[in-house]
């Protein structure tokens, strides 16, 4: 029983640490992508939308997390975007259509 409690606590701690690491990577990637495209990354944060266990190309199990955020092309309109993380790596990013100036 004690070993199981310690194992569960360790697993919970790892999941929290891994989620924070993935979130930090998603924020950094979205912020850099917005800056590169001349967009404003709003609120300086992302919000977790979905987490799933998946198998990636090499057959290993990993967590796929989708984070959403808001950006603006002109400082007035708020648009949505998302970053999909596979483990600690960025898998994809999508931006809602916006006007080019």
């Amino acid at each position: 029983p004690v070993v199981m409690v310690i194992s569960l606590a360790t697993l919970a701690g790892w999941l929290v640490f891994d989620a924070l690491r993935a979130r930090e990577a998603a924020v950094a990637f979205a912020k850099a992508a917005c800056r590169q495209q001349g967009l404003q990354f709003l609120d300086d944060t992302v919000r977790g939308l979905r987490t799933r266990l998946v198998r990636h190309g090499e057959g290993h199990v990993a967590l796929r997390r989708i984070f959403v955020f808001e950006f603006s092309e002109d400082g007035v309109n708020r648009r949505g975007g998302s970053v999909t993380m596979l483990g600690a790596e960025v898998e994809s990013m999508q931006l809602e259509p916006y006007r080019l100036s």
Side-chain angles (χ1 to χ4, degrees), residues 51-93:
T51 301
R52 291 191 176 155
L53 275 174
V54 297
R55 286 193 188 275
H56 59 71
E58 299 165 2
H60 299 287
V61 174
L63 289 173
R64 176 177 285 142
R65 293 181 172 94
I66 300 175
F67 295 95
V68 294
F69 62 93
E70 291 185 325
F71 69 94
S72 178
E73 74 273 17
D74 59 7
V76 177
N77 295 323
R78 292 179 86 87
R79 309 256 187 223
S82 68
V83 176
T84 302
M85 305 290 294
L86 184 58
E89 302 295 319
V90 175
E91 186 176 46
S92 66
M93 182 175 133

Side-chain angles (χ1 to χ4, degrees), residues 5-74:
V5 170
I6 292 171
S7 296
L8 288 174
T10 302
L11 178 62
W14 177 82
L15 285 171
V16 168
F17 174 75
D18 190 58
L20 289 173
R21 184 175 58 126
R23 184 180 173 279
E24 287 177 12
V27 167
F29 185 83
K31 189 182 291 189
C34 285
R35 183 174 42 251
Q36 182 181 26
Q37 295 185 36
L39 304 170
Q40 296 174 15
F41 180 67
L42 301 177
D43 305 327
D44 207 35
T45 191
V46 296
R47 179 177 52 87
L49 180 66
R50 185 177 308 138
T51 301
R52 291 191 176 155
L53 275 174
V54 297
R55 286 193 188 275
H56 59 71
E58 299 165 2
H60 299 287
V61 174
L63 289 173
R64 176 177 285 142
R65 293 181 172 94
I66 300 175
F67 295 95
V68 294
F69 62 93
E70 291 185 325
F71 69 94
S72 178
E73 74 273 17
D74 59 7

